[in-house]
Amino acid sequence: AASSFILSASASPLTANDHPLTSKTMRKVKEQPSSWSINDVSTWRSMPAKSASVARFENIDEVSKGSNYSEPSKDEQLSPTQLYSSLQDGHSSDTMKKTLQDILNPARIAALEACDVQPVPYDSHSFSSYIFTLKGRNLSMILSPLLALLLWGLGWQLLFMFLPKGDSYNEVIGTYESDLQRTLSSVNDLISTLVTPVSFLLVFRLGRAAIRFWDARQATGLMIEKCRSNIATATVGFISPIRQKRRYCRRQKQRSDNTETNDGQRDEKKGDTAKEKIQSAKILQPGAKEIELLCEYARWLTSFPVAVKHFLRPEERLGWDDTAYYKKQRFEIGPLLCDEDANHVMLSYEDERGQAVFDRNAKRVRDPPLVVLNRLHEMSYDIAHHDYDEDNKGSFNPTPQQRAAFFQQLNNQINILCASFGTMERIKNTPLPFVYVIHLRSILLLYLFLWNMTSIASIGWIALPALFAFNLSMLGIEAASVECESPFDWNSNHLTMGKFCILIARNIAQAMKEVRY
């Protein structure tokens, strides 16, 4: 049984000293192995950001035990919850800097880099580039039928050797052949006609798989594109009223300075008027609430591709237990989200009592990408309808029409992110129809077994190397199709989802860096 643990639904809000996965907020539901302790399930604040071996998961035993962790520094212990609380003190620049550091956190980036199997590099203009390599050919899938065909051919050849010889002389192999061997040789031309329908089925199968692979890559490209445009729209649209007011204040101050300089003597009435204008339109610096909202939006948007990756990748990996898998996912989210939000994103299952549980045998009730999308929808409304200037309402706050247009644009971009996720979900959960695949494989194996049998009967031992190469080529097409049709696994032929997450994180960080107040 898979290891499982439950988060208490009545957990109190996080504080600086709270450990969200301690016995106060979690309960065992199954007997755990003796080497596994509920207190070993570390959250981000107890994970060492400087430990590259843990971040890259080079030592799974160390990750599972959780006993050799170094104590994180004081800065690493600062959670997003504590970070947001500092906004009340007006440390907006520190908040922005901390958010950028969390988005590009080295341990988080290292974990995302390590989650992909590096693709095999090759030169598309050279036939000799990796032409003899076995890596990436999905030989594990076709090894069994390939060996079965080889043994099948050897068995027939041995049978023909011990059968009594007839009067028919085979000029190809230079010996007399048995009656059975002569009969099988005569139907060789009939069996060879099956290659046409088999080839058509294989070509169609590989073509559809290639289309699915490209559709998946196109969906990930759309996700990257819309994450870029969404953070750009959010930052520009959200900060634009602040910039407008600052420009207005600078113009008013410049006019006042020019009036005093040109007249040589200040006109009291005019000076008071200019002073009143400046006083009525104070230079508005982005405050705690603006930076809080923008940084939180950036954090959740950066978490979206990670949540998509967690949903698409298989939930089991050889050599990993549930604890290691949980920690791997937590490392990839890192300090972007507080432990409570991160667990809400990662724990997709609930038990009979409706409590979140990290147990794949339980009932799945939520999809991680939708959790992030719902939060983005909520914050997009808050951003579009934010009140910038409570003391001087109406001067620089966007009009209702502008707010509606801004919200619609953000909402449309988020909907496109949802559509890209839906495309990848469709590709992952909808393979080619069973009737087509099983018919193709049945006809393919029937043809190969009959073709090997008649070829051995006609040519003998000399046909075995050529038949092995032919079997490998035909079965390899089906193996390549299986590799391409759902490219979201830990495989060198599949999409590098971790690199896409890193790319989006860097793009969002760049957009946040270039925000001008």
Side-chain angles (χ1 to χ4, degrees):
S3 300
S4 61
F5 54 83
I6 293 182
L7 296 181
S8 174
S10 60
S12 59
L14 297 176
T15 62
N17 297 323
D18 282 342
H19 194 294
L21 294 181
T22 55
S23 57
K24 295 181 180 179
T25 57
M26 302 176 59
R27 287 187 296 110
K28 293 183 186 179
V29 294
K30 294 182 180 180
E31 184 67 21
Q32 306 296 343
S34 58
S35 61
W36 189 88
S37 171
I38 196 71
N39 294 323
D40 288 336
V41 182
S42 304
T43 60
W44 174 257
R45 291 204 299 275
S46 60
M47 290 181 180
K50 297 179 181 179
S51 178
S53 62
V54 177
R56 295 182 180 274
F57 278 69
E58 297 168 356
N59 189 344
I60 296 301
D61 293 334
E62 179 184 352
V63 173
S64 299
K65 293 180 181 178
S67 57
N68 297 326
Y69 291 137
S70 60
E71 183 67 21
S73 64
K74 187 175 181 180
D75 292 336
E76 292 168 357
Q77 294 179 1
L78 186 62
S79 68
T81 304
Q82 296 170 298
L83 177 64
Y84 291 156
S85 64
S86 67
L87 292 168
Q88 300 176 358
D89 300 330
H91 303 302
S92 57
S93 59
D94 294 340
T95 302
M96 179 67 75
K97 182 179 179 180
K98 181 62 177 176
T99 300
L100 294 176
Q101 291 175 350
D102 291 343
I103 291 176
L104 301 177
N105 183 275
R108 197 180 78 85
I109 298 300
L112 290 172
E113 288 176 346
C115 74
D116 296 325
V117 177
Q118 295 301 320
V120 179
Y122 68 96
D123 184 4
S124 58
H125 300 283
S126 174
F127 273 95
S128 60
S129 177
Y130 286 87
I131 192 172
F132 297 109
T133 186
L134 298 180
K135 183 180 180 181
R137 291 181 180 269
N138 197 17
L139 294 179
S140 60
M141 174 185 172
I142 63 175
L143 186 60
S144 297
L146 197 62
L147 292 177
L149 287 168
L150 180 61
L151 295 176
W152 173 263
L154 288 174
W156 278 106
Q157 180 60 37
L158 292 175
L159 178 64
F160 295 148
M161 290 176 59
F162 292 101
L163 286 177
K165 306 300 181 181
D167 298 333
S168 176
Y169 183 78
N170 191 327
E171 297 180 356
V172 177
I173 58 178
T175 184
Y176 287 94
E177 57 184 8
S178 63
D179 295 338
L180 176 62
Q181 189 173 0
R182 179 170 54 86
T183 302
L184 294 177
S185 299
S186 63
V187 299
N188 190 27
D189 293 337
L190 178 63
I191 300 300
S192 63
T193 58
L194 288 175
V195 71
T196 300
V198 169
S199 299
F200 175 79
L201 291 173
L202 284 175
V203 168
F204 180 80
R205 172 90 161 100
L206 184 60
R208 296 307 305 173
I211 292 175
R212 288 166 60 88
F213 183 92
W214 178 248
D215 287 345
R217 181 61 184 90
Q218 194 173 28
T220 56
L222 181 63
M223 178 179 66
I224 296 172
E225 174 191 347
K226 289 306 172 183
C227 284
R228 291 169 176 169
S229 58
N230 186 255
I231 190 61
T233 302
T235 54
V236 172
F238 190 49
I239 303 299
S240 180
I242 299 175
R243 288 198 304 270
Q244 291 177 11
K245 186 165 185 179
R246 286 175 59 84
R247 284 196 295 265
Y248 172 79
C249 294
R250 284 195 296 266
R251 288 196 301 266
Q252 290 296 98
K253 188 176 186 305
Q254 184 178 7
R255 290 175 185 175
S256 176
D257 293 342
N258 291 338
T259 301
E260 294 179 3
T261 302
N262 295 334
D263 294 346
Q265 184 177 2
R266 178 180 176 182
D267 180 70
E268 185 176 357
K269 183 175 180 180
K270 292 184 178 180
D272 291 342
T273 303
K275 184 177 180 180
E276 290 174 0
K277 289 182 179 180
I278 297 174
Q279 185 67 25
S280 64
K282 296 180 295 184
I283 297 178
L284 180 63
Q285 296 285 355
K289 56 183 180 180
E290 284 82 12
I291 296 299
E292 176 186 3
L293 193 54
L294 187 59
C295 289
E296 186 180 4
Y297 189 86
R299 289 174 181 273
W300 279 96
L301 186 61
T302 308
S303 303
F304 175 71
V306 182
V308 171
K309 185 186 74 68
H310 291 171
F311 179 83
L312 296 175
R313 286 281 169 88
E315 296 183 341
E316 296 182 0
R317 190 172 183 177
L318 184 63
W320 288 24
D321 58 8
D322 284 351
T323 309
Y325 195 86
Y326 168 83
K327 291 181 179 180
K328 181 71 170 88
Q329 290 190 350
R330 189 65 185 94
F331 253 108
E332 292 172 357
I333 294 177
L336 287 176
L337 305 178
C338 63
D339 293 320
E340 183 179 5
D341 289 337
N343 289 328
H344 186 63
V345 170
M346 292 188 299
L347 304 182
S348 305
Y349 300 90
E350 289 184 357
D351 61 2
E352 299 82 1
R353 292 162 291 187
Q355 294 177 316
V357 58
F358 197 82
D359 185 359
R360 301 181 188 95
N361 297 322
K363 180 182 179 181
R364 187 164 195 158
V365 296
R366 69 175 67 88
D367 295 331
L370 297 184
V371 174
V372 180
L373 287 173
N374 292 337
R375 187 65 65 91
L376 289 175
H377 277 295
E378 295 174 2
M379 288 187 292
S380 66
Y381 183 88
D382 296 338
I383 288 176
H385 296 81
H386 180 70
D387 191 0
Y388 297 87
D389 189 4
E390 298 179 356
D391 298 330
N392 189 24
K393 294 183 178 180
S395 298
F396 294 95
N397 277 333
T399 64
Q401 293 78 8
Q402 292 173 333
R403 293 181 184 276
F406 184 31
F407 173 69
Q408 183 179 12
Q409 187 173 5
L410 287 176
N411 199 56
N412 289 341
Q413 292 170 345
I414 297 173
N415 287 338
I416 294 177
L417 289 178
C418 183
S420 66
F421 160 64
T423 300
M424 290 182 276
E425 182 186 24
R426 169 178 57 82
I427 294 173
K428 175 181 179 292
N429 296 332
T430 312
L432 286 180
F434 171 79
V435 61
Y436 181 88
V437 175
I438 196 63
H439 180 72
L440 166 63
R441 294 181 180 179
S442 300
I443 297 298
L444 175 61
L445 289 178
L446 176 63
Y447 165 70
L448 290 178
F449 276 101
L450 293 177
W451 176 255
N452 280 257
M453 179 182 64
T454 57
S455 297
I456 291 295
S458 302
I459 304 176
W461 289 100
I462 196 173
L464 286 176
L467 287 173
F468 182 83
F470 182 77
N471 297 335
L472 179 63
S473 63
M474 298 295 282
L475 293 173
I477 296 176
E478 172 63 13
S481 303
V482 173
E483 283 283 273
C484 296
E485 68 177 353
S486 183
F488 303 115
D489 204 342
W490 288 286
N491 194 292
S492 59
N493 293 304
H494 289 179
L495 297 177
T496 53
M497 300 295 293
K499 288 186 177 180
F500 298 153
C501 296
I502 296 173
L503 177 60
I504 292 175
R506 289 174 177 169
N507 294 154
I508 292 176
Q510 178 181 349
M512 296 289 287
K513 286 180 183 178
E514 297 176 354
V515 172
R516 294 187 302 168
Y517 304 140

